[in-house]
Amino acid sequence: MTHGYTTGTGTNPESEPESDPESTPVFGIPQQRQVPPAEAPVETGKGGGRDRYLDLLRSIALVRVVVYHLFGWAWLSVLFPSMGVMFALAGSLMARSLNRPALGVIKGRLRRLLPPLWAFSAVVLVMMFASGWNPLKDPDMGGTWWGAAKVLDYLVPVGAPPYPEHLGSESGLLESTWADQAAGPLWYLRAYLWFVIASPLLLWAFRRVPWATLLAPLLLTAVVGTGVVTIPGETGNAVSDFAVYGGCWVLGFAHHEGKLKEIPRYLAVSGATVIMGFGLWWASGHLGPDGWDLNDIPLAQALWSFGVVVILLQYAPSWQELPGRLARWDKLVTLSNNRAVTIYLWHNLLIMATVPMIDQLYNLPFMGSDAATSFLDKADTFLMFVLIWPLIAVAILAFGWIEDIAAKRRPRLWPNGAKRGRRGLA
């Protein structure tokens, strides 16, 4: 089954135009103007500018991921399939980069992905070890050195990084499921890594048999995502993730290669609508514990995400700057794209960090009445929503510059595209 975790800039004065496709960001998420997951501002293909429409889509996808993990609203997976969009944009960027030697492109992607992951992993592992987790004694890991070696997935996510489902106590500073919540979204990095490794072969196949390559992931999802064939354990999860989002990744190829524009718009949109309708019909008969949460329904997720991505890319304008009222969001779009990896990695742990902060409000003198306590009980999720954004800002300041170092750029504390007299950390 797929996981419940759904887990860009044209006028950025701080972003030097990059002619080197390998310098694009990680997991479909630009690091230059700012993904993905992977990458830097996207070039429009016309004049080498940044495609702000794609940057805007990434920013919306990131915000939707954070809001989904905060509130858990199932309908958000239908409103905007963030992960499908992010994988599609990453696929488009990967196709553009593969005009260069494939091995160099893959190494470049790893170089951009791994250092931010290492910083996150160092913090999370220290917290888990300090809380008493011992991989050698964890029954879920077999209690052997071989099982404990899975911790290396925190360094290179070829598999799912392990973590205890419960750690500490309910009365502790963080609730006992904090490790599960913090490390859970790392499945995305594993999926992104395997898509990157498979991309040279996938792109070769797409250029020869485009329709077969485009539809094969949907057919694979119909096999492994519906119970026709069951692959146990994390291997099954990895195969399912690859199948569910593989169609979106290859749609990114189609977008870059111009194949989507060759299909009449009415035909592409009509076909996408039929696919989306079938996905919702399938979901209606296979609702999970959270109802219409498509993250629990692999085939519905694959079909719905595929259809939405087709429509978004069919209507994609080539914006070198955000138009009209969207321009007021330019700096935030630039910042979120430049720090997409950081935001994605840290947001769930930061959500957990809001809980003890809110708990301190109960100790205030004017919170002694039952009415005040009841109000705070009802408003806790809203308060988490208010607190998460400044916490994300702190994470950007504390760890975001690692994305610049990984991309061999001068480190910047707050790369939102605003003009400054002095640049970088200086």
Side-chain angles (χ1 to χ4, degrees):
M1 67 177 223
T2 52
H3 303 259
Y5 299 96
T6 47
T7 304
T9 81
T11 56
N12 185 349
E14 293 197 3
S15 295
E16 298 83 14
E18 294 179 327
S19 58
D20 179 1
E22 184 189 337
S23 62
T24 53
V26 189
F27 51 80
I29 302 167
Q31 298 182 18
Q32 184 71 357
R33 56 203 171 303
Q34 313 197 136
V35 34
E39 286 96 29
V42 179
E43 296 184 1
T44 64
K46 297 181 180 181
R50 305 304 185 186
D51 192 328
R52 297 298 276 166
Y53 174 72
L54 300 187
D55 293 346
L56 178 63
L57 288 182
R58 287 192 198 89
S59 296
I60 293 172
L62 279 172
V63 171
R64 207 284 276 156
V65 166
V66 174
V67 173
Y68 172 81
H69 286 159
L70 260 172
F71 295 99
W73 293 328
W75 53 267
L76 285 174
S77 66
V78 178
L79 178 66
F80 192 82
S82 285
M83 305 315 292
V85 170
M86 291 168 71
F87 278 119
L89 301 180
S92 179
L93 288 166
M94 192 67 187
R96 179 172 69 102
S97 296
L98 284 173
N99 291 326
R100 304 178 69 249
L103 182 59
V105 173
I106 292 173
K107 289 170 62 177
R109 289 296 188 277
L110 286 175
R111 190 184 70 234
R112 286 161 178 75
L113 175 67
L114 296 183
L117 172 63
W118 293 339
F120 174 80
S121 297
V123 172
V124 170
L125 286 174
V126 167
M127 291 175 63
M128 289 194 293
F129 294 151
S131 299
W133 183 55
N134 185 343
L136 284 172
K137 297 181 180 180
D138 190 331
D140 293 332
M141 301 177 67
T144 65
W145 281 102
W146 179 252
K150 295 178 181 178
V151 172
L152 295 176
D153 285 321
Y154 279 99
L155 301 179
V156 182
V158 294
Y163 49 83
E165 291 189 8
H166 297 276
L167 190 63
S169 65
E170 293 295 340
S171 58
L173 186 62
L174 295 175
E175 63 171 279
S176 63
T177 63
W178 73 264
D180 186 359
Q181 297 294 328
L186 295 183
W187 72 268
Y188 177 54
L189 277 70
R190 174 189 64 190
Y192 172 79
L193 176 62
W194 284 111
F195 276 128
V196 166
I197 293 172
S199 281
L201 179 59
L202 286 174
L203 185 58
W204 176 87
F206 177 77
R207 287 171 173 170
R208 283 153 182 80
V209 282
W211 283 106
T213 308
L214 189 61
L215 298 178
L218 298 181
L219 296 177
L220 180 60
T221 305
V223 175
V224 301
T226 61
V228 174
V229 173
T230 301
I231 303 175
E234 283 301 326
T235 300
N237 288 335
V239 172
S240 181
D241 293 336
F242 193 91
V244 168
Y245 298 107
C248 293
W249 187 273
V250 179
L251 276 174
F253 292 174
H255 174 68
H256 174 266
E257 301 281 295
K259 296 296 184 182
L260 283 180
K261 296 299 184 182
E262 294 177 2
I263 304 172
R265 179 171 290 177
Y266 76 91
L267 188 59
V269 173
S270 298
T273 302
V274 171
I275 291 173
M276 294 163 63
F278 183 81
L280 291 183
W281 172 81
W282 179 266
S284 68
H286 300 81
L287 299 180
D290 296 317
W292 282 88
D293 193 331
L294 300 186
N295 294 293
D296 299 328
I297 315 169
L299 183 57
Q301 176 73 289
L303 295 171
W304 183 260
S305 298
F306 187 93
V308 170
V309 167
V310 166
I311 294 174
L312 288 175
L313 295 183
Q314 261 291 333
Y315 283 90
S318 292
W319 289 339
Q320 296 207 358
E321 59 183 42
L322 295 177
R325 295 183 179 180
L326 291 176
R328 71 182 64 177
W329 302 100
D330 182 82
K331 290 183 175 60
L332 286 178
V333 169
T334 299
L335 178 67
S336 63
N337 275 262
N338 274 314
R339 293 296 177 254
V341 181
T342 300
I343 294 170
Y344 183 82
L345 282 172
W346 290 92
H347 78 276
N348 238 28
L349 181 60
L350 296 177
I351 289 174
M352 293 295 100
T354 64
V355 176
M357 296 174 66
I358 294 173
D359 286 345
Q360 297 306 309
L361 296 179
Y362 288 92
N363 298 326
L364 296 175
F366 55 83
M367 292 300 299
S369 68
D370 291 340
T373 301
S374 176
F375 173 80
L376 191 55
D377 289 342
K378 294 177 182 178
D380 61 345
T381 305
F382 173 76
L383 292 174
M384 292 170 70
F385 176 79
V386 171
L387 288 172
I388 187 60
W389 307 110
L391 289 180
I392 287 176
V394 171
I396 289 173
L397 293 171
F399 302 102
W401 55 270
I402 298 174
E403 294 191 51
D404 293 326
I405 300 297
K408 296 184 176 180
R409 292 193 300 267
R410 53 180 169 67
R412 299 163 295 171
L413 283 178
W414 196 256
N416 66 349
K419 294 181 179 180
R420 296 180 179 86
R422 302 179 65 187
R423 301 161 74 180
L425 290 179

